[in-house]
Amino acid sequence: MSKLRLLTEFGMGTSLRRQDYTQAATRAVQDALWHNSINLAELFDRPKTDMLIDVEVAVQQPDQVDTDALATVFPYGQIAFHVVKGGLDVPRPDGKPTVIANVAIHVSFEMEKP
């Protein structure tokens, strides 16, 4: 069997005033997840715990993202994070940027290709 990607979802989140990269990333993950109700596990008659969830997070300061905190957003599945430089810090008049995070969530199962 091999890891077979079945879907990818995208999200964007912000931290408007606190420059909190984890909060921006959390909101991006929620944006991707909360707009969907995809029942992949049921469709393939698999337990939800078998879902392999790879999360790509892009922010300007990747070392400021707490992936343990991000993992709590997911109710099930085996979560792996890859945090990279990206997203956007938007300058504000007070000198503190608004933080924007982007995420891509890939959901896979270990299974034979159809």
Side-chain angles (χ1 to χ4, degrees):
M1 285 198 279
S2 60
K3 185 175 178 179
L4 181 61
R5 183 185 296 177
L6 299 171
L7 89 100
T8 299
E9 293 294 338
F10 302 98
M12 193 243 357
T14 62
S15 175
L16 298 175
R17 294 177 186 83
R18 296 185 318 153
Q19 298 77 52
D20 186 333
Y21 291 87
T22 299
Q23 184 63 51
T26 298
R27 289 175 175 161
V29 166
Q30 290 170 336
D31 180 51
L33 295 176
W34 275 219
H35 290 134
N36 298 289
S37 178
I38 300 166
N39 300 315
L40 281 179
E42 293 88 348
L43 179 64
F44 290 96
D45 196 30
R46 305 284 295 268
K48 291 178 181 180
T49 55
D50 284 357
M51 296 173 75
L52 305 174
I53 303 172
D54 295 295
V55 183
E56 296 181 60
V57 179
V59 294
Q60 283 293 295
Q61 295 188 34
D63 60 318
Q64 297 296 311
V65 175
D66 179 355
T67 56
D68 290 336
L70 278 182
T72 65
V73 176
F74 294 89
Y76 41 76
Q78 301 168 44
I79 317 301
F81 293 96
H82 182 63
V83 184
V84 300
K85 187 169 176 72
L88 189 62
D89 282 357
V90 180
R92 295 174 15 142
D94 64 5
K96 297 177 181 178
T98 291
V99 172
I100 300 176
N102 298 103
V103 300
I105 300 172
H106 310 288
V107 181
S108 307
F109 282 111
E110 287 287 338
M111 59 192 308
E112 296 296 324
K113 292 186 178 185

